Amino acid sequence: MPVILDGVTTRASDAQRIAPGAALLRVCWIGVALWLAALAPAVHAASQWLEDVRYFERDGRFGIELLFSDSVYYRSHFPPDSSDALTIYLRVPGLNHYEDFPIQEVVSPRVGVAGPLARAAFEANEFEAALRLKFAVKTGYQVSQGSSNKVIVVTLMRPGSTPVPVTAPVVAPTLVPAPAVEGERIKALLTQSRDALTRGDVDQAIGILNGVLSLPQHPDRADALELLGVARERKGQRAHAKAIYGEYLLRFPKEEGVERVRQRLAELLSGDLKPQEKLKEVKAAPVARGGDWSHSGSVAQYYYRGKSDLGGVNTTDQSMLLTQFSWDSQQRGERYDSRAVANLNHTRDFLDRPEDAEINSLYAQIKDKQGGWFAKLGRQSSPGGGVQGRFDGLLGQYNVTTGVQLEVVTGYAGELSAKDTLQTQRPFWSVAADLGPFWDYLEAMPYYVRQDVDGMLDREAVGYELRFFHPLFNAFNMVDYDLSYTTLNTVLLSGQYSVQESTTVYGYYETRRSVTTSNALFGEANADSLKDLLTQYTRDEIRELARKRTGDSTTTTLGASHTYNPKLQISGDVTLSEQVFPLEPVQLGVPRTTQSDRQTYYALQAVTSKWLNGRDTTLIGVRYTGAQDYNSTSFNLALRLPVGAAWRFDASLRYDQRANDTGEHIDKTIPKLVVEYRPTNTVDLQLELSRERWEYSGVTTNESYNRLLASLGYRWLF
């Protein structure tokens, strides 16, 4: 069952009342979030794709969950099993109609989290979408779709361990606040794990120790492995404990803890579970009444300048400063976990255009691990269950019993036509039940949602989400049915199947006709809201207009990837897409007239590595598009070349050929160079240079077009 707030459930006997000071600080954080939300009339919601990165620990597996604000689907990853840099190639349906390319977002694990991940970056352009992870050391991993269609999971392998297939959705992630993981500070992590064992918080101890064991070799690795075995044993996971003790004896036969470990293993093997003395290293520690707050964030600024040449006329078409700010505060207590998050953007345009401020996310959340409830308040992304897009409001969850979680959401849905005001036109509420897992592999979420707009019913729907997980196969299915318009809104099915260890087949199908009353505004030149339409039409007429002005779309994708060896992977897919558009003017009482548009996409991609300096990656891709009024072929060549510890060079060349059915031909060439310098682990300096050239021929009146773009910026992680 998906858990939004990081943490694990503790026994009632272990829970302590939170300290008054910590409670006051939590209230202050929520007050800050509400105060900032009150400033929303000056800002508007914007797209932020990669929302969060967090560690999890479950059933002996340790890894990373990457959470997105919209649906993402795993296609392939490279290198196949271990590296200090991992690229995960994704299918992101929401990018099909996106215009503000390229996308580059960087998220790092919160300060104080023990683990090898240095940073995660989501990058996308018209050609591909990829998630790039950078580890502090060469790391073994497995990649799969996560517990929903918005989560990608990377399961990490401890040195010397054997990969274990992900057989169920990842739940109850354990984030571990801890000091930085170098030198003597690793000892502080071990002390923290011992304290957790002493007060009975076994889950927290396991999370800390898994993080320590995923780090590079260090002198305290034997102690960490022994403590992990003790933690597993105290949790009743005897098989895990025996495996860990056996690994200890094999890898550390000369350590001073050998006799203790051998004795523990013998007792487990004999079944004689006698009371055991505490480890010599474990010292009693006072029970904490509330955990400390940990804080992390980033500040980034990029200056963009563009010059274009159209028919010999030179123009400065871009001069802009983009500022990005993110803040993440978190507290883990024995009973309560709290968190406050802000992601803000500001654009200063120097060409006399309006400034632009954006709130991507701004929320506070709290979880009662003893009481089994969770609340999240502010601007946030849809949790699923029929809620669409970002919203401003409240999410609540309650664990009714094992395998049953009740979820209620209420607030205001985003309003695209009102970007600079507080968006209160679309109040909504929804209720859902998260059920399972059943038979270890299946989860279900039935839901009901109702949304109003300007005093009219906008959407009323029921539906379900199904999630199936198996070592060889995972799938996601969603059906949404509108009760008010008695129409099937959405049917979605995606899946991934491992034919063999090096070959993966994936598929995606979606048909969508999302009727909402707001759709009646499409094509209306003299109305900005339903209130305006109510002065011209009756409510029944508005609903008829909404039904007739709603289009249909169907998309089907089938693809596969195969890793030939650690240096070469080839993947390809075919996509069929069709859209049906109503033609204006739409008339009441008259059947609508429609127009359809079909596209077929063929994509082939090869990824190679380690040809230049052992750390380089080269991508070669080709994509063909066949549409009703044009066809095009795109070629893409990209090289990522790390040099030393601080430098990275990304060079790419894209060439497009397009032939329109009017007889016009277009050749587009885009070379690009990105230079990144990282003087420390927390500072990035980046320079980007690119040129875009359009050449027209055939039957055309268009003139050749050239554009030069340069950007310079930095990102500071703290």
Side-chain angles (χ1 to χ4, degrees):
M1 182 175 300
V3 176
I4 294 179
L5 182 64
D6 309 306
V8 293
T9 302
T10 59
R11 298 188 302 271
S13 60
D14 294 332
Q16 300 292 327
R17 295 180 58 86
I18 192 163
L24 178 61
L25 188 54
R26 178 182 300 113
V27 172
C28 291
W29 266 118
I30 296 176
V32 169
L34 292 174
W35 175 73
L36 289 173
L39 302 180
V43 298
H44 69 268
S47 294
Q48 178 192 354
W49 298 91
L50 180 57
E51 287 216 321
D52 198 7
V53 177
R54 63 193 188 191
Y55 287 99
F56 70 85
E57 191 282 325
R58 181 181 183 272
D59 293 339
R61 302 180 186 92
F62 176 65
I64 304 162
E65 278 189 323
L66 301 116
L67 289 79
F68 287 79
S69 62
D70 205 347
S71 300
V72 296
Y73 300 95
Y74 168 85
R75 295 176 59 189
S76 63
H77 69 276
F78 194 80
D81 50 24
S82 65
S83 178
D84 62 350
L86 167 64
T87 300
I88 305 170
Y89 298 99
L90 305 171
R91 170 177 167 75
V92 187
L95 293 176
N96 291 344
H97 305 289
Y98 195 77
E99 297 180 354
D100 297 332
F101 291 112
I103 299 172
Q104 184 176 27
E105 299 176 353
V106 177
V107 178
S108 292
R110 286 180 284 281
V111 170
V113 177
L117 182 66
R119 67 189 60 209
F122 175 65
E123 300 175 2
N125 53 38
E126 300 91 332
F127 204 88
E128 69 166 8
L131 187 59
R132 306 188 190 279
L133 307 187
K134 175 63 178 176
F135 299 105
V137 65
K138 184 176 180 179
T139 302
Y141 45 71
Q142 289 180 308
V143 184
S144 67
Q145 194 78 37
S147 57
S148 78
N149 60 333
K150 296 183 179 180
V151 179
I152 299 296
V153 170
V154 180
T155 303
L156 303 178
M157 308 300 162
R158 294 201 305 268
S161 65
T162 301
V164 179
V166 178
T167 59
V170 178
V171 298
T174 303
L175 276 175
V176 187
V181 290
E182 294 179 0
E184 289 298 319
R185 294 182 178 178
I186 289 180
K187 296 184 182 298
L189 285 171
L190 295 179
T191 299
Q192 196 174 8
S193 69
R194 293 185 182 104
D195 292 343
L197 282 172
T198 300
R199 64 175 182 266
D201 195 344
V202 179
D203 290 303
Q204 185 178 16
I206 291 173
I208 295 173
L209 294 166
N210 272 316
V212 171
L213 289 168
S214 69
L215 297 171
Q217 293 291 336
H218 54 80
D220 297 301
R221 182 171 295 277
D223 290 344
L225 193 61
E226 180 184 2
L227 285 170
L228 181 60
V230 172
R232 292 292 186 186
E233 187 177 352
R234 292 186 182 180
K235 194 174 181 179
Q237 297 175 330
R238 298 179 59 196
H240 287 294
K242 287 187 287 186
I244 292 169
Y245 290 150
E247 180 181 349
Y248 182 101
L249 296 175
L250 181 65
R251 297 176 59 191
F252 305 109
K254 298 182 179 180
E255 291 289 334
E256 63 174 351
V258 164
E259 289 304 319
R260 289 193 305 270
V261 171
R262 184 176 288 114
Q263 179 184 355
R264 290 184 182 276
L265 180 58
E267 290 173 348
L268 286 174
L269 293 174
S270 66
D272 183 13
L273 301 179
K274 296 179 293 185
Q276 301 169 3
E277 297 181 358
K278 294 181 180 180
L279 293 176
K280 295 180 180 179
E281 293 84 357
V282 176
K283 297 180 180 179
V287 175
R289 296 284 179 174
D292 294 331
W293 284 86
S294 62
H295 310 284
S296 63
S298 68
V299 175
Q301 287 188 305
Y302 298 94
Y303 175 73
Y304 296 88
R305 186 172 183 85
K307 286 196 171 186
S308 58
D309 179 351
L310 179 61
V313 179
N314 294 307
T315 305
T316 299
D317 57 24
Q318 188 175 37
S319 181
M320 177 186 78
L321 179 66
L322 172 65
T323 302
Q324 301 172 324
F325 173 79
S326 67
W327 181 268
D328 192 334
S329 293
Q330 182 188 201
Q331 182 200 47
R332 280 179 52 86
E334 290 191 30
R335 174 169 180 174
Y336 296 102
D337 287 346
S338 305
R339 189 181 178 195
V341 172
N343 287 288
L344 315 172
N345 290 345
H346 179 268
T347 301
R348 170 71 184 278
D349 198 296
F350 299 100
L351 298 179
D352 297 327
R353 296 167 184 158
E355 295 189 15
D356 190 16
E358 305 170 342
I359 294 181
N360 293 317
S361 56
L362 180 65
Y363 60 82
Q365 64 184 38
I366 181 173
K367 181 176 183 179
D368 183 344
K369 292 179 284 188
Q370 177 186 352
W373 60 266
F374 166 80
K376 184 177 182 181
L377 176 65
R379 176 159 293 173
Q380 53 191 290
S381 295
S382 161
V387 180
Q388 300 175 344
R390 276 189 170 81
F391 68 94
D392 297 328
L394 175 66
L395 162 68
Q397 294 177 333
Y398 179 70
N399 293 326
V400 180
T401 186
T402 302
V404 179
Q405 183 182 76
L406 181 67
E407 178 177 285
V408 178
V409 184
T410 186
Y412 299 100
E415 173 59 63
L416 298 180
S417 63
K419 294 183 177 180
D420 56 353
T421 61
L422 184 61
Q423 302 169 22
T424 59
Q425 294 90 340
R426 296 186 180 184
F428 78 94
W429 65 274
S430 73
V431 60
D434 208 339
L435 310 175
F438 304 104
W439 308 289
D440 295 330
Y441 301 128
L442 181 66
E443 290 186 343
M445 177 186 277
Y447 63 81
Y448 169 86
V449 60
R450 178 190 171 100
Q451 179 174 297
D452 296 325
V453 58
D454 291 338
M456 291 187 64
L457 177 61
D458 192 34
R459 160 176 158 80
E460 184 181 25
V462 294
Y464 68 83
E465 297 178 3
L466 288 178
R467 300 179 288 268
F468 181 83
F469 296 85
H470 187 271
L472 298 178
F473 174 71
N474 66 70
F476 176 82
N477 172 232
M478 183 185 77
V479 173
D480 186 281
Y481 180 83
D482 195 285
L483 298 172
S484 175
Y485 286 94
T486 61
T487 184
L488 193 60
N489 281 336
T490 304
V491 176
L492 187 152
L493 178 63
S494 68
Q496 169 193 336
Y497 176 64
S498 298
V499 181
Q500 54 187 17
E501 184 177 354
S502 57
T503 302
T504 300
V505 176
Y506 54 89
Y508 173 86
Y509 171 80
E510 180 184 34
T511 180
R512 182 181 295 271
R513 189 175 190 265
S514 298
V515 183
T516 64
T517 307
S518 301
N519 293 355
L521 290 168
F522 294 165
E524 287 288 339
N526 300 318
D528 295 325
S529 67
L530 291 186
K531 289 181 179 179
D532 295 336
L533 283 184
L534 283 170
T535 64
Q536 308 171 45
Y537 304 98
T538 67
R539 290 176 179 261
D540 288 341
E541 289 173 337
I542 289 175
R543 288 174 58 83
E544 182 182 347
L545 288 174
R547 187 187 295 272
K548 289 184 174 180
R549 285 173 169 164
T550 299
D552 305 76
S553 67
T554 302
T555 302
T556 305
T557 297
L558 183 63
S561 67
H562 180 74
T563 301
Y564 287 88
N565 54 57
K567 288 188 175 183
L568 176 62
Q569 180 189 84
I570 294 180
S571 61
D573 57 57
V574 178
T575 299
L576 306 177
S577 182
E578 181 179 11
Q579 303 84 37
V580 178
F581 306 99
L583 296 179
E584 293 291 339
V586 170
Q587 299 180 4
L588 295 172
V590 178
R592 69 175 185 169
T593 304
T594 62
Q595 176 181 337
S596 63
D597 189 13
R598 299 181 181 89
Q599 307 90 32
T600 304
Y601 305 94
Y602 301 91
L604 184 65
Q605 175 178 284
V607 182
T608 66
S609 67
K610 302 179 181 179
W611 295 104
L612 298 178
N613 65 355
R615 300 168 59 200
D616 59 282
T617 302
T618 302
L619 181 146
I620 305 170
V622 59
R623 180 178 181 180
Y624 173 81
T625 302
Q628 293 182 196
D629 54 357
Y630 76 92
N631 61 75
S632 68
T633 305
S634 299
F635 302 91
N636 190 41
L637 175 65
L639 170 67
R640 299 174 67 87
L641 180 64
V643 177
W647 291 90
R648 193 189 76 189
F649 298 86
D650 291 355
S652 65
L653 176 63
R654 178 177 171 182
Y655 175 65
D656 295 350
Q657 287 183 323
R658 173 168 170 155
N660 295 330
D661 59 2
T662 60
E664 180 182 58
H665 296 270
I666 307 170
D667 293 289
K668 182 167 64 173
T669 307
I670 307 176
K672 180 190 295 185
L673 175 65
V674 179
V675 180
E676 182 178 299
Y677 176 61
R678 190 173 298 166
T680 71
N681 289 332
T682 59
V683 176
D684 284 346
L685 306 176
Q686 182 175 290
L687 170 67
E688 179 178 331
L689 302 171
S690 66
R691 179 185 180 184
E692 189 171 340
R693 181 174 179 82
W694 296 53
E695 291 284 352
Y696 293 88
S697 61
V699 182
T700 183
T701 58
N702 290 314
E703 300 183 75
S704 297
Y705 171 78
N706 286 277
R707 185 170 190 263
L708 297 175
L709 176 66
S711 69
L712 180 65
Y714 72 90
R715 182 179 298 273
W716 173 45
L717 306 173
F718 56 86

